[in-house]
Amino acid sequence: YLIALFLFLLDLPTLRTKMYNLMTDETQEKFKFMNNRLAYVLFGFLKAQFLVSLIIFTVTLVALMFITPEIALLMSILIF
């Protein structure tokens, strides 16, 4: 699976160029704008999810330190 994904990613610029050649100039601009915006939104979403996960990890670790200090770190990592 990883080898196929790697080979696909190697050919991605060629596939993108061929796909753009099938479109009109106006459609190409719209498609590029849509792809850039989608990448920006997905990156923002993943960044927000990571930050929320870090907050949950920290709150869980502090709470479990009061309840069971000997396994607090392990449980916080599992909950993370």
Side-chain angles (χ1 to χ4, degrees), residues 59-75:
V59 169
T60 305
L61 181 63
V62 169
L64 287 175
M65 283 298 226
F66 290 116
I67 300 171
T68 57
E70 57 273 354
I71 61 167
L73 183 62
L74 176 65
M75 291 302 294

Side-chain angles (χ1 to χ4, degrees), residues 3-40:
I3 294 171
L5 182 62
F6 175 73
L7 293 174
F8 180 76
L9 288 175
L10 283 178
D11 286 338
L12 194 59
T14 306
L15 293 172
R16 181 177 289 148
T17 304
K18 287 181 181 179
M19 184 178 66
Y20 284 149
N21 287 337
L22 296 174
M23 299 178 190
T24 63
D25 289 338
E26 183 180 339
T27 307
Q28 283 180 12
E29 291 301 318
K30 289 179 183 178
F31 196 75
K32 287 178 184 178
F33 174 75
M34 184 183 65
N35 279 342
N36 290 338
R37 184 71 179 148
L38 184 63
Y40 177 77

